[in-house]
Structure formats: C-alpha cells, structure tokens
C-alpha cells in the first residue's frame, strides 16, 4: 500500500471546520522490510522426564521444525480479556489501525482481529511423572548479527544519517518489542502468560496518542466540537480524560531521538491529551500483563499429568504498543531458542 495515501477523504488540517473520519494504512508503521526470524528451536535442557512434540504423539527431547524466514508485523494482545473470559483455545491478536473513523469508536480502539504477522503453534508436553513445566532460564532471543550486518550493507545510505555500524546496532535491537506467550487451553487449568524478554521497569500501556501518518504530529480530530488529539487503544472511563488547552505554537517532540508513532508533537491549536492528569482524574489505561523472562521459571507453571499429552499454544509476536516498536529496529533478524524445564513436582491428592 502506498505511504502517500495515508489520509482519505476530508483534508486533515487545523483549518477544517468538520473532520468526521480519516484512514491510515498501519497504526504503528507500514514497513517494506519487516522483522524476520531465521530459526526457532524448541527443546528441553537436561530434563530426562520431559518430552515435547508438535503432535499428541512422537515425543522427543527437542524440535526444530521452524527453520524458515518468517515476516512479522506489529499486532497487539490488547482486548485479550474478551477471549480469555470465554476460555477460547487460541490467543487472538489485534491488527494495527486501518480505516479509522472518529464517529466509529471501535475503529480507533479495538481495531480488527489479526490473522497473520505473528508466529503461533500448538505444542504437546509429556512426562512420566506429575510435574509443572516452565520456561527454562536458557531461553533466549538474540539478534542474528550476520544477517543484520548484511541488511545494513543493503539499506545503507548516507542520506539516512547513520553509519553502517550504527545501523547494525539499531537492527540488533530487533528483539526489544518481541513477546512470547503461552496459553494453557485446558479448562481446568486455563491460563495465559505473556513474557517480555526485554521487559523494563516502565509499563507498556495499550493506549495513547499516536502519529500514524508520520507527519510529525499526533493525530487529531474534531471531538465534541473541539479539535483534540485522538486516544487510541484500550482504556476505561473515557469521561475522565483531560486535555490541556491548545497553544498557538507547535509543541516540542516528546523526547530526543528517533521520531516515531510514539514520539511526535502536538500541533498548534489542538488540545493535547494529558495522560498523567487523566489518570489522576480516574481515567484507566489498560496495561500489558507481562512478566520478565528471568521470572518465567517461577511464575509460569504448566501442569503436566503423568503419561498424558499436555497441549499448549506458543505465540511469538511484535507488540505494537511497545515503544521500542520503531522502524529502525524491526527490519532486523533474530534467533529464538526456547527451552522448557520442570518447574517443580506436582503434589496430587489421592
């Protein structure tokens, strides 16, 4: 899709007297070069009583059937409560925003369901004992340095403003917005865990203002008779949102560094969404419920009954609301090595 056709219909300018709709190609960013994974190996490390398979039989110590190039696009686990409450057997992710209409709230909150752009597979665990399986500390998601250097050579241009080494460094940050999730679809033990391999102290919120058309300004529209910034994503208590009064000059960029959907300016004569004051006023931004990779071995416990195949669903995806999800990093390649182990024995009441 052409990037020069981001806005459809009414011209989106401050002088417009009525802006009722607009459309964008992709919410986080349209990319011609997407993140790629070159190999996924799933195995057990040093666990004699734990086996794995991609089917309910033929169990073994490791599987590496996923050696292929796979293109990712930004999706999100926002609004997951809807499918978790009904205990659905496969996780559902949301696409980036397309065909946004300010008169149709779902178009800039929920977005459509994603059917591609992420890796997902069913796995089966097996043990001769009653145990809890978990993600092992050996699990790793690392940049594919060789391929990223080749990519830097391919895309290098003096016009980009980066040296080749700086490009490699950016491409090597490819895993910063990655997520791995495990769904236990068994009705008795139903659970869903999201692991952020590079989780920081800051929360990832599923909402906020965005610059979708890359014009350097957060998107805005005529809302209740006033030109305001649009709040995308999943949130509650919409009536508690607070806007700062408009200024007759453009604001500075949110922060130093690379411009992105998250790092833009408030356009002059547009009321600016104030996240902090809104939260203090009762606005509830929904945040991602994820754990750090180093905590997975103790926080994620998958019950595996002796001599019974235990189905789980493994997903790997690029979280669109992670602020590390920017163009310069997600054109890179990475390697995934996912290991399971026995978290602890299961005590069974007789």
């Amino acid at each position: 899709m052409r990037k020069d056709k981001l806005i459809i219909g009414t011209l989106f300018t401050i002088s417009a007297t009525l802006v009722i709709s607009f459309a964008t190609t992709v919410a986080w960013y349209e990319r011609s070069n997407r993140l790629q994974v070159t190999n996924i190996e799933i195995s057990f490390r040093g666990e004699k009583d734990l086996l794995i398979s991609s089917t309910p039989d033929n169990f073994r110590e490791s599987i590496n059937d996923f050696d292929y190039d796979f293109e990712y696009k930004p999706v999100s686990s926002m609004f997951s409560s809807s499918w978790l409450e009904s205990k659905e057997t496969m996780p559902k992710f949301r696409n980036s925003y397309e065909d946004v209409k300010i008169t149709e709230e779902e178009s800039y909150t929920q977005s459509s369901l994603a059917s591609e752009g992420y890796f997902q597979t069913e796995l089966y665990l097996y043990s001769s004992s009653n145990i809890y399986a978990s993600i092992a500390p050996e699990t790793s998601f690392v940049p594919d340095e060789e391929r990223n250097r080749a990519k830097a050579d391919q895309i290098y241009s003096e016009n980009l403003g980066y040296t080749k080494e700086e490009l490699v460094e950016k491409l090597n940050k490819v895993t910063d917005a990655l997520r791995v999730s495990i769904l236990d679809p068994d009705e008795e033990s139903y659970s869903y865990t999201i692991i952020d391999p590079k989780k920081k102290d800051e929360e990832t919120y599923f909402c906020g203002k965005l610059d979708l058309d890359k014009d350097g300004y957060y998107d805005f529209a005529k809302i209740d008779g006033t030109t305001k910034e649009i709040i995308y994503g999943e949130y509650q208590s919409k009536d508690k949102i607070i806007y700062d009064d408009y200024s007759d000059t453009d604001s500075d960029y949110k922060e130093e560094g690379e411009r992105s959907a998250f790092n833009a300016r408030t356009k002059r004569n547009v009321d600016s969404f104030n996240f902090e004051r809104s939260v203090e006023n009762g606005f509830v931004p929904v945040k991602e419920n994820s754990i750090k990779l180093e905590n997975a071995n103790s926080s994620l416990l998958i019950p595996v009954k002796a001599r019974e195949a235990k189905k789980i669903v493994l997903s790997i995806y690029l979280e669109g609301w992670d602020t590390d999800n920017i163009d310069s990093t997600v054109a890179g390649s990475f390697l995934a090595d996912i290991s399971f182990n026995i978290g602890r024995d299961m005590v069974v009441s007789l």
Side-chain angles (χ1 to χ4, degrees):
M1 185 175 292
R2 289 175 51 193
K3 295 180 181 178
D4 60 348
K5 297 185 70 175
L6 290 173
I7 297 176
I8 300 173
T10 306
L11 290 177
F12 204 58
T13 64
I14 192 63
S15 60
T17 57
L18 179 63
V19 180
I20 61 170
S21 69
F22 68 97
T24 62
T25 53
V26 175
W28 304 294
Y29 273 140
E30 176 70 18
R31 300 182 177 89
S32 57
N33 298 301
R34 299 192 188 279
L35 174 150
Q36 292 186 336
V37 57
T38 56
N39 178 270
I40 297 176
E41 181 174 345
I42 303 172
S43 60
F44 294 103
R45 302 295 189 209
E47 301 290 347
K48 296 181 180 179
D49 195 21
L50 197 55
L51 299 174
I52 191 169
S53 177
S54 55
T55 64
D57 49 26
N58 192 28
F59 288 96
R60 45 194 166 156
E61 292 184 357
S62 67
I63 53 177
N64 55 1
D65 304 331
F66 314 109
D67 186 9
Y68 58 88
D69 285 348
F70 181 82
E71 291 190 348
Y72 287 67
K73 67 177 183 178
V75 297
S76 180
S77 65
M78 62 181 178
F79 293 97
S80 58
S81 59
S82 60
W83 60 266
L84 284 170
E85 288 175 2
S86 57
K87 293 188 175 182
E88 297 194 29
T89 57
M90 297 291 284
K92 292 183 177 179
F93 300 104
R94 296 279 171 175
N95 278 315
S96 45
Y97 296 97
E98 299 180 6
D99 301 323
V100 175
K101 296 179 176 63
I102 202 63
T103 55
E104 298 177 12
E105 186 171 304
E106 286 189 2
S107 71
Y108 61 88
T109 55
Q110 290 187 18
S111 78
S112 60
L113 289 172
S115 59
E116 60 181 3
Y118 56 92
F119 175 84
Q120 193 168 81
T121 186
E122 293 181 354
L123 296 173
Y124 293 83
L125 311 179
Y126 183 88
S127 175
S128 61
S129 305
N130 294 305
I131 56 97
Y132 287 99
S134 188
I135 294 290
E138 293 86 357
T139 293
S140 65
F141 299 87
V142 297
D144 187 335
E145 178 111 14
E146 181 179 349
R147 297 193 80 178
N148 288 341
R149 285 194 173 278
K151 184 71 173 181
D153 289 338
Q154 176 187 340
I155 66 175
Y156 173 72
S157 166
E158 292 182 358
N159 295 331
L160 291 175
Y162 301 114
T163 66
K164 286 187 181 180
E165 283 302 315
E166 287 173 333
L167 281 175
V168 172
E169 183 179 351
K170 288 180 176 294
L171 292 171
N172 281 344
K173 292 182 178 179
V174 64
T175 57
D176 287 2
L178 274 181
R179 301 293 190 270
V180 55
S181 71
I182 302 290
L183 173 69
D184 176 356
D186 190 306
E187 190 163 344
E188 293 182 2
S189 56
Y190 192 88
S191 66
Y192 185 60
T193 303
I194 299 171
I195 300 168
D196 179 353
K198 298 295 181 69
K199 188 176 178 67
K200 304 169 186 174
D201 293 333
E202 297 83 4
E203 299 286 358
T204 294
Y205 289 100
F206 290 145
C207 65
K209 52 189 182 182
L210 296 169
D211 172 17
L212 302 188
D213 57 3
K214 297 200 228 183
D215 65 352
Y217 297 102
Y218 292 116
D219 299 338
F220 56 89
K222 207 83 169 181
I223 302 173
D224 299 328
T226 305
T227 305
K228 303 175 181 178
E229 290 173 334
I230 299 168
I231 321 300
Y232 293 94
E234 183 179 9
Y235 48 86
Q236 300 167 8
S237 301
K238 179 181 178 181
D239 61 315
K240 301 297 183 181
I241 293 174
I242 291 182
Y243 295 90
D244 292 334
D245 292 338
Y246 67 84
S247 170
D248 58 3
T249 59
D250 294 344
S251 75
D252 293 331
Y253 279 93
K254 181 180 178 181
E255 58 189 36
E256 295 293 328
E258 187 172 345
R259 311 309 185 211
S260 72
F262 307 104
N263 184 23
R265 297 174 290 173
T266 295
K267 193 173 181 65
R268 62 189 180 278
N269 299 326
V270 175
D271 289 355
S272 174
F273 169 55
N274 190 312
F275 180 85
E276 291 77 14
R277 288 182 60 203
S278 296
V279 171
E280 292 175 359
N281 193 47
F283 171 76
V284 181
V286 175
K287 62 183 179 181
E288 180 186 46
N289 184 21
S290 62
I291 62 175
K292 295 182 178 181
L293 181 57
E294 57 262 36
N295 296 334
N297 196 231
S298 58
S299 299
L300 172 62
L301 295 172
I302 306 163
V304 181
K305 295 181 180 179
R307 295 174 293 279
E308 292 184 14
K310 173 70 175 186
K311 184 170 78 171
I312 60 173
V313 181
L314 170 73
S315 304
I316 302 175
Y317 61 98
L318 182 69
E319 175 52 62
W321 279 105
D322 190 311
T323 55
D324 288 315
N325 171 33
I326 56 178
D327 281 357
S328 65
T329 62
V330 298
S333 297
F334 74 97
L335 299 169
D337 187 347
I338 303 170
S339 301
F340 291 79
N341 67 355
I342 296 176
R344 61 181 172 86
D345 291 334
M346 182 192 306
V347 178
V348 178
S349 300
L350 299 178

